């Protein structure tokens, strides 16, 4: 995180030597996310134990505020964005040769997202196209997991049930999380922007040693510029005598 802050500071310092534009946007949109799971090396090393999972996407949404500093054809963007992530899964585990359990789960994870994106712009009639990306950090604020399960023993006996519990960020799942964001879209001259992007989660979200999980999400967003100001740098001239 310190490296990211240092990186932003360097760019702002360089931009301060030239003319630049600052703008403040409100943004909102929808996202399709998946909690991608797979068996960990530790899980594979357990004799007689197998774990498999089939993941699927859920639809969520995001909304927040963005601040952008522009210089020439480049933008440096950051902000704070609420985002609802998660996913559905069907997992099958065999903790012992005589037992098979299957679980249908639904996971909701709510985060505050801090992106740091650098984008390149090129002009078109009526606006500008842009593309780029950068790192992000997400801090979990609330989460919930619900599921139904069935256990089958070797004698054919079955047990069924359901469970629901709140997600403990920092105890049952990693907090904060980090990843890489890629994006592209259009800035229109009427202060409206549209973009699409993808978040690639880099952090293992699971504290369960038998599997590895990462958050990935496809996002579509619309933004409106609330405030825009052109900043002019003034240089002082020193004269001898």
């Amino acid at each position: 995180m310190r490296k990211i802050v240092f990186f932003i500071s360097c760019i702002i310092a360089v931009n301060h030597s030239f003319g630049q534009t600052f703008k403040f946007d409100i943004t909102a949109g929808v996202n399709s996310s998946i909690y991608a799971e797979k068996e960990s090396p530790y899980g594979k090393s357990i004799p007689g134990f197998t774990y498999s999972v089939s993941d699927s996407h859920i639809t969520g949404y995001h909304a927040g505020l963005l601040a952008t500093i522009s210089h020439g054809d480049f933008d440096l963007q950051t902000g704070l964005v609420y985002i609802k992530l998660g996913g559905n899964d069907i997992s099958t585990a065999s903790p012992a040769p005589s037992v098979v359990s299957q679980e249908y789960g639904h996971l909701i994870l709510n985060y505050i997202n801090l992106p740091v994106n650098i984008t390149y712009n090129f002009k078109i009639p009526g606006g500008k196209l842009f593309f780029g990306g950068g790192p992000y950090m997400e801090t979990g604020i609330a989460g919930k997991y619900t599921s139904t399960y069935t256990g089958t023993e070797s004698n054919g006996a079955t047990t069924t049930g359901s469970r629901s519990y709140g997600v403990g960020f920092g105890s049952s799942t990693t907090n904060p999380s980090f990843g890489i964001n890629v994006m592209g879209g259009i800035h229109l001259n009427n202060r409206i922007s549209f973009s699409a992007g993808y978040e690639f989660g880099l952090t293992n979200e699971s504290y369960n040693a038998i599997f590895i999980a990462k958050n990935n999400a496809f996002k579509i967003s619309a933004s409106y510029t609330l405030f825009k100001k052109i900043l002019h740098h003034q240089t002082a001239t020193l004269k001898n005598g």
Side-chain angles (χ1 to χ4, degrees):
M1 186 62 187
R2 290 181 180 176
K3 291 181 179 180
I4 294 175
V5 173
F6 176 74
F7 180 62
I8 296 173
S9 300
C10 289
I11 293 178
I12 293 174
V14 171
N15 281 344
H16 186 67
S17 301
F18 305 93
Q20 58 186 358
T21 302
F22 173 79
K23 68 172 186 170
F24 198 63
D25 293 355
I26 184 170
T27 186
V30 296
N31 37 268
S32 178
S33 64
I34 188 169
Y35 191 72
E37 300 172 75
K38 64 180 181 179
E39 188 175 8
S40 69
Y42 171 76
K44 293 178 180 179
S45 70
I46 301 174
F49 176 83
T50 59
Y51 177 86
S52 62
V53 63
S54 175
D55 298 307
S56 61
H57 290 76
I58 64 168
T59 301
Y61 56 89
H62 56 274
L65 299 171
L66 299 172
T68 304
I69 294 176
S70 302
H71 172 64
D73 295 326
F74 291 91
D75 291 346
L76 172 64
Q77 182 188 81
T78 187
L80 291 175
V81 180
Y82 164 81
I83 186 167
K84 180 181 179 181
L85 302 175
N88 296 315
D89 63 54
I90 303 174
S91 59
T92 302
S94 299
S98 60
V99 178
V100 175
S101 64
Q102 191 169 58
E103 186 165 8
Y104 299 81
H106 178 68
L107 178 65
I108 297 294
L109 298 170
N110 300 282
Y111 291 94
I112 297 297
N113 181 291
L114 171 64
V116 181
N117 293 316
I118 296 177
T119 59
Y120 176 77
N121 305 274
F122 52 96
K123 293 182 180 180
I124 60 171
K128 296 185 295 183
L129 295 178
F130 66 92
F131 64 92
Y136 66 84
M137 179 182 74
E138 290 177 333
T139 300
I141 55 176
K144 186 176 182 180
Y145 180 76
T146 57
S147 70
T148 58
Y149 59 87
T150 301
T152 305
E153 299 185 18
S154 58
N155 60 6
T158 61
T159 58
T160 61
S162 62
R163 54 180 176 166
S164 176
Y165 56 85
V167 174
F169 287 98
S171 57
S172 61
T173 189
T174 305
N175 198 40
S177 301
F178 299 90
I180 295 293
N181 175 60
V182 294
M183 60 188 299
I186 183 171
H187 297 302
L188 301 176
N189 290 338
N190 60 1
R191 295 193 172 197
I192 296 175
S193 301
F194 299 97
S195 65
Y198 199 87
E199 287 189 0
F200 296 91
L202 301 179
T203 304
N204 177 17
E205 304 293 338
S206 175
Y207 275 20
N208 188 328
I210 67 172
F211 65 89
I212 296 170
K214 295 182 179 181
N215 277 321
N216 298 318
F218 173 73
K219 303 187 299 181
I220 298 176
S221 309
S223 304
Y224 180 76
T225 300
L226 300 172
F227 171 85
K228 185 175 182 179
K229 184 175 180 62
I230 298 175
L231 306 175
H232 297 282
H233 177 67
Q234 295 180 350
T235 59
T237 301
L238 300 178
K239 297 182 178 180
N240 295 326

